[in-house]
Amino acid sequence: MQFLTLNETNKLLSILLRNEYLQVAESSTRLALLENCNIECSSIDLKKDQKFFIPDLYRFLSKNKVKDGDIEELALIIFLKHILSMNFIFGFADFEEDFITRVIQKWEIQKNSKLIEDRDQIRTSLNRNRALYSASHTSQDNIKLDSGIITDFDLKDIVVQLNKKVNYQGAFAFSVGGNAILLEQYIIKRVKQEICFLTKKQTDYYDIQIYKNSILSSKEIEQKFINKYKIEVLSDLFDCQANTNVLAIIWNHDIPLKQIQPIAEAFWNEISDSLSSILIRQRRCFILIWVNAKHKSLRGFPKLKAPEKFVLSELEAWFYGHFKEKGIEEKQIEDYLTRLKMHDGHLVATYREMDQMIHEISGRLYAL
């Protein structure tokens, strides 16, 4: 089944074609890789040159299913999940890993929709409703919704935690872990918004990305900030002429918790001590957030915990009110709410559905 657009297919093929491990893999290595995925593909020539082998493999994986436990799964998804789990061998860049993850999520969203209705019936119904909506809502052509509708929804526990800990001056640190897409596009956006509201000041935002091959000590974390923002010491972020707070976010992509925990503690102890006098004298805040993409939160730091699932009744009420306020007709609203409920409150899948709906209503293209 073809579930990716042509552009998405080309991007995925490009990632696989330029992967160094796959480039040098011999036929025996290719065979072992596919056997580890329980994929039998005798129709593919494993000795072909990389530029021919990968497209042939993609076509085969996109059209065939394999057993995954008690269920059948698309071979392509089994393959992509396997190579992500072995990324210490394949060495995908962060943006490549994120794209492959989104491909898997797109398939899972599409697959899960079958549990509610036949896929073709849903597609026909949605296309018909969108056509009717487009033809009969000329007065709604100027409807504009932004992602703030999503960002403002829920996350009550995170808001409470920030309210309890963040004051008008001083240094404060938090930790959060989970899915990278959800963290970046939903949770961190809300955190930025809440901190501005709590401190009643403009907040300057700084961030760095850290990886296991580049960080061995707390000093190297500080050096990352220094190099990126062209400063001499971290305290230079507090320009004496400005009356703003500072929010610093450290994105840990692949450093194991056991390794990053002592480094994080040492960095926080050093930096909070060195900044304390500046913060008191200038009556400003420094907020540090450790983001562990794909990992749990760090110990010893207040946790910003996202809900395990969205509560469907709250989700429906929230979007119904906003859609009604924008003048969207009742039938169209019900169609949107049905799409939201299809994912049973699953955080990532529901978030992506919300984001896609906002793009559709605002007349913008939605990208994977």
Side-chain angles (χ1 to χ4, degrees), residues 45-178:
D45 184 357
L46 299 176
K47 296 181 179 180
K48 273 189 175 182
D49 184 87
Q50 168 84 346
K51 63 183 179 182
F52 300 113
F53 170 72
I54 291 297
D56 285 355
L57 178 64
Y58 174 81
R59 283 189 289 271
F60 176 89
L61 297 178
S62 298
K63 295 177 181 178
N64 291 275
K65 293 186 176 182
V66 295
K67 276 283 188 180
D68 183 23
D70 296 328
I71 62 172
E72 280 194 333
E73 180 61 282
L74 189 68
L76 176 65
I77 301 303
I78 297 292
F79 178 78
L80 294 178
K81 286 181 177 179
H82 178 71
I83 61 178
L84 280 188
S85 71
M86 303 289 286
N87 197 30
F88 60 92
I89 292 177
F90 289 89
F92 291 110
D94 185 56
F95 74 92
E96 295 174 327
E97 189 174 359
D98 284 347
F99 182 81
I100 295 173
T101 300
R102 293 199 297 274
V103 168
I104 295 170
Q105 290 168 348
K106 184 177 183 181
W107 165 256
E108 290 177 342
I109 290 171
Q110 182 169 313
K111 183 181 66 174
N112 289 339
S113 69
K114 296 177 186 177
L115 300 176
I116 298 176
E117 273 187 82
D118 177 80
R119 184 191 68 253
D120 293 332
Q121 289 179 344
I122 291 177
R123 184 183 295 118
T124 301
S125 175
L126 288 177
N127 287 340
R128 182 176 64 251
N129 289 334
R130 286 169 185 164
L132 290 172
Y133 176 77
S134 177
S136 62
H137 287 71
T138 54
S139 64
Q140 297 179 24
D141 285 345
N142 294 323
I143 288 178
K144 295 298 178 186
L145 296 174
D146 60 42
S147 59
I149 292 178
I150 303 174
T151 308
D152 291 342
F153 176 67
D154 203 2
L155 301 182
K156 295 182 285 289
D157 290 344
I158 289 178
V159 174
V160 169
Q161 185 68 278
L162 291 171
N163 271 275
K164 285 169 58 178
K165 300 294 183 181
V166 176
N167 214 323
Y168 291 107
Q169 67 181 36
F172 313 95
F174 300 89
S175 179
V176 61

Side-chain angles (χ1 to χ4, degrees), residues 9 15 21 28-29 46 61 64 70 75 77 83 87 110 119 125-126 145 165 186 188 191 193 200 226 242 258 272 328:
T9 298
I15 290 172
Y21 180 83
S28 58
T29 303
L46 299 176
L61 297 178
N64 291 275
D70 296 328
I77 301 303
I83 61 178
N87 197 30
Q110 182 169 313
R119 184 191 68 253
S125 175
L126 288 177
L145 296 174
K165 300 294 183 181
Y186 180 40
I188 295 301
V191 167
Q193 180 178 304
K200 311 299 182 186
I226 290 171
K258 187 176 181 181
S272 57
I328 299 175

Side-chain angles (χ1 to χ4, degrees), residues 343-364:
H343 307 295
D344 194 33
H346 181 274
L347 284 184
V348 176
T350 305
Y351 171 82
R352 292 187 62 77
E353 191 70 60
M354 290 189 285
D355 196 34
Q356 183 168 359
M357 288 192 312
I358 299 304
H359 279 73
E360 288 174 7
I361 293 170
S362 302
R364 303 192 300 272

Side-chain angles (χ1 to χ4, degrees), residues 5-59:
T5 67
L6 179 60
N7 285 339
E8 292 163 358
T9 298
N10 289 338
K11 187 169 182 179
L12 180 59
L13 286 173
S14 176
I15 290 172
L16 298 176
L17 283 166
R18 66 171 173 256
N19 184 266
E20 292 183 3
Y21 180 83
L22 291 174
Q23 285 178 0
V24 300
E26 298 179 352
S27 59
S28 58
T29 303
R30 291 172 175 176
L31 177 62
L33 173 61
L34 296 173
E35 287 179 344
N36 287 337
C37 300
N38 200 28
I39 296 172
E40 194 283 319
C41 54
S42 55
S43 60
I44 297 179
D45 184 357
L46 299 176
K47 296 181 179 180
K48 273 189 175 182
D49 184 87
Q50 168 84 346
K51 63 183 179 182
F52 300 113
F53 170 72
I54 291 297
D56 285 355
L57 178 64
Y58 174 81
R59 283 189 289 271

